[in-house]
Amino acid sequence: NILVATQKDFEKTRRKKLMAKIATGEWDAVLIAHSSFGLIPMSKEYEKKHIEKEIQEVTEAIDRIKMEEGGGLSVKKLEQIKMSMNTKLKNLLDDTKKDDVVTFEELGVDQLIVDEAHMFKNLPMFSKIRNVAGINNSESKKATDLYMKISYILENNDGKGAVFATGTPISNSMGELFAMQKYLQMDRLREMGLEHFDEWASTFGEIVNSFEIAPDG
C-alpha cells in the first residue's frame, strides 16, 4: 500500500492535504522526491534542540583547539560559525507565528530509506585542520534537514530505522565517510569518543601531500 507524492502535491495549496493523507493513512511506504522532502518541516522544539546541540559541538571544538594550539585562524572560523548558529537560534525563538502545518514528527514515520544518499554528504565538520581538500565546514540546508530527521528516527526507534542506498558513498574525500557515519552511527562514534571530526581523522586517516589530477585531465 504505497503513496507516491508528486511535485504538484507539494504546492502550497495542496501540501496540507498531502500531510494529512500521510499522517492518517496506513501506508507501507510513502515515496517523496529529494527536492520535496525538505518542505516537510521539523517542529520548532526539535529544531531548537538540534541547533543547541550543534552550538555545543562547535564550542567544544573551539575549546579543544585553544587548549592544543592557543587559537589562530581555525578558532576565528569556528567562532564565525558559532555566531551564525546563535543568530539562527535567536531567529527561531523570535518567530512567534503559530505553525499550522503538520510536522515531520506528526507523520508517524518509523523508517527512512534514502536513495542516492551521497547527495546529502555536505554535513559540516567543525575542524581545526586547514588547507586539506575534502573537509567541509559550511552546512548544506538539505543535509542538515536530513540529519535532523534521521536523528529523530534513530532516537525513537532504538538506533534503528535509517537506510542509505548509494553507489558512491565516497566520491572525493575521507570527510564523506565521516558524514555517512555521523548520519547513521552517531551514538557509536560518541561511545568511542570519536564524535568530533578531528579525533576521527587522527584515528582513521593521515594527511599526505600528493599531486591531484584536475577533472579535465
Side-chain angles (χ1 to χ4, degrees):
N1 192 18
I2 292 172
L3 173 67
V4 180
T6 65
Q7 214 167 349
K8 270 203 173 110
D9 291 320
F10 275 95
E11 284 168 7
K12 222 166 185 175
T13 48
R14 304 167 73 160
R15 209 178 300 167
K16 234 184 218 172
K17 192 178 170 188
L18 173 68
M19 294 302 128
K21 207 171 171 182
I22 294 172
T24 55
E26 282 294 317
W27 308 105
D28 295 318
V30 179
L31 295 186
I32 292 174
H34 283 180
S35 53
S36 306
F37 188 60
L39 297 172
I40 306 171
M42 292 298 287
S43 67
K44 282 199 179 122
E45 293 75 28
Y46 197 86
E47 208 174 323
K48 174 178 172 283
K49 192 172 108 182
H50 179 80
I51 297 171
E52 283 169 348
K53 216 184 267 177
E54 293 267 271
I55 291 171
Q56 190 189 340
E57 212 177 301
V58 184
T59 309
E60 283 170 14
I62 291 169
D63 293 344
R64 251 187 0 265
I65 295 166
K66 279 181 178 166
M67 264 170 61
E68 286 166 21
E69 49 193 59
L73 270 177
S74 321
V75 166
K76 267 192 190 133
K77 176 81 180 136
L78 290 177
E79 293 276 15
Q80 284 169 351
I81 293 171
K82 186 179 170 180
M83 221 155 76
S84 74
M85 280 180 181
N86 277 315
T87 308
K88 202 161 140 190
L89 186 60
K90 187 180 178 302
N91 293 341
L92 187 72
L93 298 174
D94 288 349
D95 184 10
T96 49
K97 70 172 189 288
K98 183 82 186 83
D99 273 348
D100 59 346
V101 289
V102 176
T103 64
F104 180 76
E105 295 101 304
E106 293 168 326
L107 294 179
V109 177
D110 52 20
Q111 183 171 40
L112 267 182
I113 299 174
V114 185
D115 194 22
E116 304 296 355
H118 56 273
M119 309 277 278
F120 296 89
K121 66 186 177 193
N122 286 334
L123 276 181
M125 294 153 205
F126 310 120
S127 172
K128 66 176 182 215
I129 302 168
R130 289 280 158 267
N131 303 324
V132 174
I135 295 170
N136 184 42
N137 265 326
S138 57
E139 78 177 328
S140 125
K141 205 173 168 189
K142 69 175 188 177
T144 305
D145 176 69
L146 179 67
Y147 182 56
M148 261 194 285
K149 286 167 181 167
I150 283 185
S151 299
Y152 172 78
I153 294 274
L154 298 180
E155 278 165 27
N156 290 282
N157 289 285
D158 296 324
K160 298 184 179 74
V163 177
F164 273 15
T166 167
T168 46
I170 303 170
S171 49
N172 291 314
S173 75
M174 284 282 286
E176 292 161 26
L177 184 56
F178 177 74
M180 291 289 163
Q181 283 194 282
K182 192 172 170 178
Y183 275 121
L184 302 173
Q185 292 182 299
M186 197 50 177
D187 51 347
R188 186 78 183 103
L189 289 175
R190 275 198 194 102
E191 242 171 70
M192 299 171 76
L194 299 173
E195 72 265 36
H196 298 298
F197 178 74
D198 290 350
E199 276 94 343
W200 183 90
S202 63
T203 307
F204 298 114
E206 57 177 318
I207 296 167
V208 294
N209 291 318
S210 73
F211 290 106
E212 189 176 15
I213 296 171
D216 56 8

